[in-house]
Amino acid sequence: MNQPDLEPGDEVLVSLVGLVAAGQFECSADRHKPGLLAWARWLRSVDDAELERETRAAIYDSASVNGFQGNWNHEHFKASACWHEARRRHIAAGHSEDCRARTIYGRAHSRLMRDHGYAPAAAGRCRCEVTDG
């Protein structure tokens, strides 16, 4: 059996996907772990449009399995990892740690809600001095 090259709780894993997703990774079935690691590494390399598409899919899948019995941590891992990556990019763009403006994850979540007939909550205000160019 191929073992992932990172161990649960590994600092590299936490840096890559965040604490929540790292915990979900640890609780995932072993058969999912190599694929989850490859996917998380890939996620770091995609552009913002692809991240938003992947985030919508991950949120949808996580929400869809939420009511089912069993271990679905591999699905929840993806949504949590997308949140972490969106937040990482938001801060890398110059936003503060406490900025409440909508991230790529927030845009994906809002679009998914609208696509299913719900009205998303308004985004928080950004008071960061970030320029777009």
PDB file of all heavy atoms in Angstrom, residues 33 106 117:
ATOM      1  N   LYS A  33      -5.984   9.221   1.380  1.00  0.00           N
ATOM      2  CA  LYS A  33      -4.928  10.170   1.733  1.00  0.00           C
ATOM      3  C   LYS A  33      -3.948  10.498   0.607  1.00  0.00           C
ATOM      4  O   LYS A  33      -3.650  11.685   0.397  1.00  0.00           O
ATOM      5  CB  LYS A  33      -4.205   9.696   2.999  1.00  0.00           C
ATOM      6  CG  LYS A  33      -5.104   9.814   4.224  1.00  0.00           C
ATOM      7  CD  LYS A  33      -4.439   9.317   5.477  1.00  0.00           C
ATOM      8  CE  LYS A  33      -5.391   9.453   6.651  1.00  0.00           C
ATOM      9  NZ  LYS A  33      -4.797   8.993   7.900  1.00  0.00           N
ATOM     10  N   GLY A 106     -15.502  32.846  -0.354  1.00  0.00           N
ATOM     11  CA  GLY A 106     -16.762  33.539  -0.109  1.00  0.00           C
ATOM     12  C   GLY A 106     -17.546  33.777  -1.390  1.00  0.00           C
ATOM     13  O   GLY A 106     -18.774  33.631  -1.420  1.00  0.00           O
ATOM     14  N   GLY A 117     -31.021  28.979  -5.244  1.00  0.00           N
ATOM     15  CA  GLY A 117     -32.202  29.722  -4.827  1.00  0.00           C
ATOM     16  C   GLY A 117     -32.132  30.398  -3.477  1.00  0.00           C
ATOM     17  O   GLY A 117     -33.152  30.833  -2.954  1.00  0.00           O
TER      18      GLY A 117
END
